[in-house]
Amino acid sequence: MPAPTTGPTTPAAGPTVHEVVVPTSMSDDPELVRAFAEWLDVSDTAEAAVHGLDELRWTPEEYLPMCHTPGAPSRLFVVRDADGVTLAAGSYDTKQASGTPNCRMAVSVLPAHRRRGVGTLLADHLAAVARADGRTQWKTYAVSRQVGGAAGPGMLAAPTGAGAVPEDEAAVRFLTGRGWRFGQVNRISRLVLPADPAVLAEVHERATAAAGAEYAVHTWTGATPERWLDDLALLETRMSTDAPVGDIVEPEDVWTADRLRAHEAEIAAAPRTMLTVAAEHRATGRLVGFTQLAVPDVSDRAVMQWDTLVLREHRGHRLGWLLKVVGIETLQHRFPGRPSIVTYNAEENRPMLDVNEAVGFVGVGSEGVWERREAAA
């Protein structure tokens, strides 16, 4: 039975694009839920065919809250053939605030249906959506089979000077052919758990000595304590200005306490727990760094390391090292049995890659970050 969607955007003789109605929850209409689960499966399957990391698949219950980001709900699309078989999945995300210039889009085509115009059909549709919204800065992430990648024959080097992607990769050919600009490489890294306790102890000792008595570390699960709410909102805002973004500049993404609370409420609906580790500057009583780990409720799924940031004015004290190692130690104590932690870091972010490598993370894949600029209407 065809999934609930809007009508096709092209005549029914060939593949057609349909917008999938995002369910409000997993207890919504079963057909809406089934359609959403199919969209997610196609998207994950297409990506896993490139990097081979089935560990990065989402369950529908985990991913659905991500589609209800306050102020920026996701729009999801599929391409189906004349028999109703789904060939590709796409997404479009942008803040709804007036004057927003940027958006993010994704196109994922199942391997058996590539090089048949399916990706072009879906990409053209997403471009039309972005133009109708007045978005002039488009961004996409394309996974790669390469880990980091070194510049050389057959490789497209990132303008940051760190990392490269294979020129013959399907996504690379597709994006360059459509006029997108390559801006950055993110490394996907994995830490097998439990981590070596001797290594963790050594890193913890070195990081504590470097941080000294000037900083304190706090941990919590779930919602941010009221006393830290404004500080964490500021840290989330500074993720858009202080984190390495390569050759792609985006506008400041302002977080408020209200936005943070709404975001936490959505995340709380998923079958996972958010573990936050934060560094306090004792002299001011303000948080100056944090890292978050999304811990699945079921113990056989990987933990995802989300945002990690130390404010640039507090760098040089190994706070990133301290946050990382306390996060791992706390995770293993409170949530034993998880198989691994997976994290994404810019290839030019050598300080964070250094601490990852020091505690045992190993590169397992990459993703290229791409941008396209449109003239304002």
Side-chain angles (χ1 to χ4, degrees):
M1 179 177 180
T5 57
T6 60
T9 61
T10 60
T16 52
V17 179
H18 306 255
E19 183 163 5
V20 175
V21 179
V22 180
T24 56
S25 71
M26 293 303 293
S27 59
D28 206 336
D29 184 302
E31 277 304 307
L32 293 181
V33 172
R34 186 196 66 77
F36 169 72
E38 180 191 48
W39 173 90
L40 182 61
D41 182 61
V42 169
S43 179
D44 282 350
T45 298
E47 287 203 355
V50 179
H51 54 47
L53 303 172
D54 282 330
E55 191 171 35
L56 299 185
R57 287 179 177 270
W58 296 81
T59 67
E61 293 80 6
E62 289 173 332
Y63 195 83
L64 183 58
M66 307 291 290
C67 297
H68 293 295
T69 300
S74 297
R75 294 180 65 182
L76 309 180
F77 302 86
V78 293
V79 177
R80 296 199 187 96
D81 66 14
D83 296 322
V85 176
T86 300
L87 314 176
S91 62
Y92 173 81
D93 296 271
T94 186
K95 292 176 68 175
Q96 301 299 299
S98 176
T100 298
N102 55 314
C103 67
R104 188 173 70 242
M105 56 184 73
V107 172
S108 301
V109 182
L110 292 174
H113 303 290
R114 291 173 185 164
R115 303 185 69 82
R116 292 170 43 190
V118 173
T120 297
L121 176 66
L122 183 53
D124 285 347
H125 183 83
L126 295 177
V129 171
R131 291 187 182 111
D133 266 354
R135 303 303 185 252
T136 56
Q137 182 181 356
W138 308 350
K139 188 176 183 180
T140 194
Y141 297 82
V143 295
S144 173
R145 67 179 185 270
Q146 195 80 16
V147 177
M155 300 294 292
L156 180 62
T160 60
V165 292
E167 292 177 335
D168 65 349
E169 209 145 56
V172 174
R173 294 196 310 267
F174 183 78
L175 289 165
T176 54
R178 294 180 64 85
W180 286 68
R181 186 174 63 85
F182 183 37
Q184 186 183 38
V185 175
N186 287 330
R187 182 187 301 187
I188 307 171
S189 300
R190 181 178 188 267
L191 174 67
V192 175
L193 297 178
D196 187 327
V199 170
L200 293 181
E202 180 184 357
V203 171
H204 196 152
E205 182 179 358
R206 291 166 58 194
T208 300
E214 190 176 351
Y215 299 94
V217 176
H218 304 275
T219 65
W220 66 83
T221 55
T224 301
E226 196 68 29
R227 65 177 292 207
W228 301 126
L229 198 57
D230 288 336
D231 288 357
L232 199 68
L234 174 63
L235 286 165
E236 290 284 11
T237 298
R238 294 283 289 270
M239 281 295 301
S240 64
T241 60
D242 287 19
V245 294
D247 198 33
I248 298 176
V249 179
E250 292 193 40
E252 182 181 43
D253 184 20
V254 178
W255 284 69
T256 63
D258 287 344
R259 179 182 174 188
L260 182 59
R261 279 288 186 240
H263 171 70
E264 290 178 337
E266 286 293 341
I267 296 302
R272 59 186 170 208
T273 299
M274 189 65 74
L275 169 62
T276 302
V277 184
E280 176 194 1
H281 182 231
R282 292 183 188 273
T284 61
R286 303 298 298 272
L287 297 185
V288 298
F290 80 122
T291 189
Q292 292 188 312
L293 297 120
V295 187
D297 289 352
V298 293
S299 61
D300 62 348
R301 290 184 56 76
V303 174
M304 300 300 294
Q305 185 122 35
W306 281 14
D307 292 343
T308 299
L309 181 77
V310 174
L311 297 181
R312 58 168 61 101
E313 56 268 35
H314 289 273
R315 292 174 185 170
H317 303 278
R318 295 215 166 180
L319 293 179
W321 291 62
L322 189 57
L323 293 169
K324 180 76 70 167
V325 72
V326 170
I328 297 168
E329 291 170 338
T330 305
L331 170 71
Q332 293 187 151
H333 175 69
R334 296 189 188 179
F335 304 93
R338 272 60 183 181
S340 60
I341 303 172
V342 177
T343 188
Y344 291 66
N345 301 99
E347 278 290 341
E348 69 269 26
N349 191 356
R350 180 34 61 184
M352 190 53 64
L353 293 178
D354 282 345
V355 63
N356 284 348
E357 292 165 1
V359 297
F361 278 89
V362 175
V364 292
S366 295
E367 65 177 6
V369 186
W370 296 74
E371 178 190 60
R372 176 167 171 150
R373 294 291 182 110
E374 293 272 300

